[in-house]
Amino acid sequence: MNEEKKSLDVFGAWLIVAGTMVNASGETLALTGAEQAAFKATGAGNAIEASGNALQAAVRSGDPANRLSALGAWVQAAGNTANAAARIPLLSGDLQEGYQLDVIGNAVQSIGAATEAIAASSARDRLFKEQLTAGYLLIAGGAVIDAISGIYFLKEFTQKGRAFGWFGGYLQATGALLAADALTNEP
């Protein structure tokens, strides 16, 4: 990957960090019961994440050695886009439709992050491959936990849903930070 593409890949990773931090902040708002503010923050956070994922996917798509990583980034972008779109029905009061779409988006995002973890772990020339793999695995696990939170909301176990959403959000933010740091320090 040339220097310009590497810079764009790293920029995309830091966009994902920013998005996960905004999303996690929204999950914290949800713990306080500020539902509308939480929906707005998590929607914006997921949109920022999707932008970072799409940028990384576009940069990686041109390199045959990065096909699996590009696929994972595209899948994550799709999942985060679905999460952001889920905020439209949630904000308008259609909780059933919103949480169903959110569960799907988180499941898709988890598959994308797991795909990126597989790509990172199988890379031969990466100096920080263990850290990068761990970061993507934390994102994948956090997205699964976030999907579980949506299932709790659908079953009307609001407090459990909020707790799982908070934990999943911060787990994803931690994973994104690890991945961005690894990509930034990669020669």
Side-chain angles (χ1 to χ4, degrees):
M1 188 178 295
N2 68 34
E3 272 308 304
E4 182 180 341
K5 286 185 177 184
K6 182 188 181 314
S7 294
L8 289 171
D9 193 42
V10 169
F11 181 70
W14 287 104
L15 271 177
I16 295 165
V17 169
T20 59
M21 293 299 224
V22 171
N23 185 61
S25 298
E27 297 293 357
T28 301
L29 288 170
L31 283 178
T32 68
E35 211 168 62
Q36 293 294 308
F39 291 152
K40 289 175 184 175
T42 56
N46 278 292
I48 295 166
E49 284 181 67
S51 299
N53 292 134
L55 177 59
Q56 286 185 314
V59 167
R60 296 173 185 172
S61 290
D63 184 358
N66 285 324
R67 280 192 187 136
L68 188 58
S69 181
L71 173 65
W74 281 124
V75 172
Q76 275 201 83
N80 277 309
T81 300
N83 291 134
R87 278 29 192 195
I88 296 167
L90 288 171
L91 283 165
S92 66
D94 189 348
L95 301 181
Q96 184 78 17
E97 181 182 334
Y99 287 127
Q100 286 174 347
L101 183 56
D102 200 42
V103 168
I104 292 167
N106 281 309
V108 169
Q109 183 188 1
S110 180
I111 292 167
T115 303
E116 285 197 78
I118 292 167
S121 69
S122 63
R124 291 184 179 92
D125 59 346
R126 285 206 178 267
L127 187 59
F128 293 93
K129 80 177 188 178
E130 290 84 8
Q131 181 180 336
L132 187 60
T133 302
Y136 290 139
L137 288 174
L138 287 173
I139 293 169
V144 167
I145 292 168
D146 218 358
I148 292 168
S149 82
I151 294 168
Y152 276 119
F153 281 117
L154 286 167
K155 299 287 185 182
E156 298 182 16
F157 295 118
T158 306
Q159 289 304 99
K160 285 185 180 182
R162 287 176 179 162
F164 273 83
W166 179 86
F167 182 68
Y170 279 96
L171 198 59
Q172 289 178 67
T174 302
L177 190 55
L178 280 174
D181 181 65
L183 288 171
T184 300
N185 290 309
E186 195 73 39

